[in-house]
Amino acid sequence: VKGEVNTLKSANSKLHQEITKDQDLLGQYKDLQKEFNLAGSGGFTIVPARVIARGAADSFTQTITIDGGFRDGISNNMTVMNGDGIIGITKAVNSTSSIVQLLSDPNFKMGVRIAGTGSAGVLLGEGDNLFTFQLLDPQGSLSKGQVLLSLGSDENRPFVAGLPVGYITNVNTTSKDITQQATVRSYANLNSLDVVSVIIKGANHDLRDSLVPPAPTQPNAPATSTPSPSETNTPNITSNPTSSSASGNN
């Protein structure tokens, strides 16, 4: 009887391990589907990759390491996204892996614009999923719930234009401030990243506000938002040989 009990315990342990592995694979599959949908709507060419490490690197305190590099078409200063929006940019790339500086890094700055307006400003990393937004448009105004999109860079390096960034949760401007400021929550949860994608080619047209997500249902969600674009478009995907989950959805 004791031998049978030990055998059953061993079999039960193996089943739990298999269930955990299956749940992990299912989570990666769902993440990839969201990334493919967003990339397809934006007309981006992407390289999916898995997060293999997290921590400080060189002069950055908020980074992840992914299992994609030069051999996958990735180079420095490329936009990195997940299914919710932008998460950072590539900063140190070798043949098989890349270090990504996250939006949350205190040294991170990027140009953003308010969806539905021409007002632009600067997003500053604060070490977590909350950011400081400084409005540069003296004629513009800030309000809770406004959606921020990436402003973009020349030739889409390092930033692709039009990607969801986050939404304003609180306006912090006082009479003493020279510029209007607000607190922003990112759409992407930067503390929980498993599968991400590097954009190696941006859209060949102006996306405007076409990638604005639907209004979240959680507390502090934006009051209004433009409906998300159709998810029926097919993205251009470059498979990552080091990631079986990504290449399997090619």
Side-chain angles (χ1 to χ4, degrees):
V1 172
K2 185 176 181 181
E4 291 179 354
V5 170
N6 290 335
T7 300
L8 288 172
K9 286 182 177 180
S10 177
N12 187 52
S13 177
K14 290 180 180 179
L15 284 173
H16 276 295
Q17 291 176 1
E18 291 178 3
I19 290 172
T20 300
K21 181 179 179 181
D22 289 344
Q23 290 175 337
D24 183 54
L25 290 174
L26 179 60
Q28 290 187 18
Y29 172 77
K30 290 181 177 179
D31 289 344
L32 281 170
Q33 285 298 316
K34 288 181 65 177
E35 291 171 26
F36 293 166
N37 289 335
L38 182 57
S41 297
F44 307 136
T45 300
I46 62 174
V47 174
R50 285 192 296 253
V51 177
I52 56 177
R54 185 184 184 101
D58 296 330
S59 58
F60 308 122
T61 61
Q62 297 282 320
T63 66
I64 57 173
T65 302
I66 59 176
D67 64 349
F70 288 136
R71 72 179 188 182
D72 306 299
I74 299 172
S75 58
N76 288 332
N77 294 321
M78 285 185 167
T79 303
V80 185
M81 54 165 267
N82 70 359
D84 296 312
I86 186 171
I87 67 165
I89 56 176
T90 56
K91 278 297 185 180
V93 181
N94 60 36
S95 61
T96 60
S97 65
S98 305
I99 293 175
V100 177
Q101 181 191 18
L102 298 175
L103 300 180
S104 53
D105 190 277
N107 293 317
F108 196 97
K109 295 181 181 180
M110 69 174 295
V112 295
R113 64 179 179 83
I114 301 173
T117 76
S119 297
V122 178
L123 190 79
L124 307 173
E126 297 288 351
D128 54 20
N129 290 319
L130 293 177
F131 306 82
T132 296
F133 172 55
Q134 297 178 345
L135 184 66
L136 300 180
D137 181 4
Q139 304 301 319
S141 61
L142 300 178
S143 62
K144 184 177 178 180
Q146 286 178 318
V147 174
L148 301 183
L149 302 171
S150 56
L151 189 59
S153 309
D154 291 340
E155 299 182 356
N156 294 312
R157 302 280 290 273
F159 301 112
V160 170
L163 271 175
V165 176
Y167 55 91
I168 293 177
T169 60
N170 190 48
V171 177
N172 309 320
T173 305
T174 67
S175 57
K176 297 180 180 180
D177 293 324
I178 299 177
T179 60
Q180 298 184 63
Q181 298 188 28
T183 299
V184 172
R185 177 172 291 279
S186 60
Y187 282 113
N189 182 356
L190 303 178
N191 296 320
S192 179
L193 297 170
D194 187 13
V195 179
V196 300
S197 291
V198 181
I199 301 177
I200 61 174
K201 184 179 180 181
N204 56 9
H205 61 284
D206 188 353
L207 296 174
R208 298 287 180 176
D209 297 339
S210 64
L211 298 185
V212 173
T217 56
Q218 67 267 26
N220 298 325
T224 59
S225 180
T226 304
S228 62
S230 170
E231 296 183 345
T232 58
N233 296 330
T234 302
N236 298 315
I237 303 162
T238 301
S239 64
N240 177 356
T242 64
S243 174
S244 58
S245 296
S247 60
N249 286 277
N250 209 4

